[in-house]
Amino acid sequence: MPAEPIPASLPVAAARRRRLRADQARQLADLLRHQILSGGFPRGVLPLEDVIAADYRASRNTVRQALDLLRVEQLVERKAGVGTVVVCEKYPHRLDRLQGLAETLHEHGRVTNEVRTVGPVSAPGPVARRLGLPDHTDVLCIERLRRLDGLPLSLDLSYLPMDVGGDLLGCDLENTDVFRLLETLTGGPLGHAEITLEAVNADAHSAAVLEAPRGSAVLMLERLTHLPDGRPVDLEFIRFRGDRITMSGVLRRHSV
C-alpha cells in the first residue's frame, strides 16, 4: 500500500516553528546580554536554565539556543559544577558626553597609551577640509594604542592643526588624554564634537595591534572636536574592540 503523501504545508510549518524559536532565542539573548552588561548578575553566574525559562516564559530549548549565542560572542561559558558564567566584561563608553577615554573609564582602571606614531604629516584632502585647512597643509598625526590595565581597547588615529597640536609634542601623551592636554594648552574647555559610529571589519594592521582576530567586527568612531568658537581642532578615527566596549547615551526628544 503506497505511503500517504506528506502535505506540503508540514515542512513549511516545521520551518516556521524553527524560525520562531530562533527569533525567540535571539530576543532572549538580547535581554540576557543587557543583564550581563548592566551588572544584573553580580556574582558573574547566570541562573539555571529552568529558572531563566520560568523568568522569561521561554522553553528550555530556546534558553539553550540563547546561551549558545552568548557563548559564540564569548560573553559567557559553561563551567562544570558551576553553570553558565560571565567571562568577558564590556566597559561603558558614553556618547552623550565629550570625554577622553581615561575620563570615561576612570572607575574601571588605568588607561595608558602606547604612542605608535607622532609627528607632522601632509594632510590628505579630506582631513584638511574637515579641519578647515588648505589641502596638504602640515598637521600633527598621532596614532595610539589605548589600554585599560594592560588590556587593548582601542586604536586611535588623530589629526590636529599644527598651531595647536604642535605643542603636544612635548606633552605626556602616554598617560594623559589629548582632550585634557588641549584644554591645558588652549586655556579653556573644548566646545562640541560631531560623531559617526559604525561597525567595520578589522584590517590586518588594526587586528594585530588590538590583538583581535583578523576580520572581526570593530566599532569605528569618527569624531571631529571643535573649540568653543567653533573651530575644528581634532579629527579622530578610533577603532574600538567591539567585544570590550559598549556605547551608551541619553537621548531626549523635543517637540518640533
Side-chain angles (χ1 to χ4, degrees):
M1 184 176 180
E4 293 184 6
I6 299 175
S9 61
L10 289 183
V12 174
R16 186 176 292 117
R17 286 194 298 273
R18 288 194 297 271
R19 184 169 64 249
L20 178 61
R21 187 163 57 242
D23 288 342
Q24 291 172 339
R26 170 177 48 79
Q27 293 160 8
L28 177 56
D30 289 343
L31 295 174
L32 293 173
R33 185 187 302 105
H34 175 77
Q35 288 285 89
I36 291 169
L37 299 181
S38 61
F41 307 115
R43 296 188 299 111
V45 180
L46 274 65
L48 298 176
E49 290 179 1
D50 57 349
V51 175
I52 295 176
D55 286 347
Y56 292 91
R57 296 187 177 183
S59 69
R60 288 286 294 274
N61 283 339
T62 297
V63 172
R64 291 191 184 104
Q65 283 185 259
L67 294 177
D68 283 342
L69 291 174
L70 297 177
R71 277 193 282 269
V72 170
E73 295 178 27
Q74 299 182 346
L75 275 179
V76 302
E77 69 178 29
R78 184 83 177 174
K79 288 191 175 181
V82 179
T84 302
V85 299
V86 179
V87 294
C88 179
E89 183 177 3
K90 287 193 175 186
Y91 302 99
H93 190 288
R94 301 288 299 186
L95 289 178
D96 51 6
R97 300 175 187 169
L98 186 53
Q99 292 184 318
L101 196 65
E103 294 173 305
T104 301
L105 300 180
H106 72 278
E107 296 179 352
H108 300 276
R110 180 169 176 260
V111 172
T112 56
N113 311 307
E114 177 188 328
V115 181
R116 300 176 55 82
T117 301
V118 59
V121 299
S122 176
V127 171
R129 289 189 288 274
R130 295 291 302 279
L131 291 173
L133 302 171
D135 287 2
H136 309 302
T137 300
D138 278 357
V139 295
L140 182 69
C141 176
I142 307 173
E143 184 182 72
R144 296 166 296 158
L145 170 61
R146 315 204 66 187
R147 301 175 184 269
L148 178 65
D149 291 337
L151 189 72
L153 281 189
S154 71
L155 181 62
D156 299 13
L157 183 63
S158 304
Y159 297 98
L160 304 99
M162 284 301 299
D163 64 322
V164 176
D167 290 334
L168 293 175
L169 290 171
C171 296
D172 184 8
L173 292 169
E174 293 186 352
N175 298 291
T176 314
D177 281 338
V178 166
F179 280 178
R180 189 171 293 279
L181 293 173
L182 284 175
E183 290 180 332
T184 299
L185 293 173
T186 59
L190 296 170
H192 70 280
E194 303 151 9
I195 63 172
T196 301
L197 180 65
E198 61 180 321
V200 300
N201 292 330
D203 59 275
H205 167 70
S206 58
V209 173
L210 290 169
E211 301 175 18
R214 183 175 180 178
S216 61
V218 296
L219 294 174
M220 163 70 86
L221 178 67
E222 179 182 325
R223 181 169 61 195
L224 179 61
T225 302
H226 301 255
L227 294 175
D229 62 5
R231 180 192 176 190
V233 72
D234 183 9
L235 175 62
E236 300 170 276
F237 299 90
I238 307 172
R239 286 172 166 81
F240 289 100
R241 280 194 54 154
D243 58 344
R244 292 178 179 168
I245 209 83
T246 179
M247 302 291 182
S248 63
V250 176
L251 304 179
R252 294 179 172 84
R253 180 175 173 85
H254 299 285
S255 59
V256 179

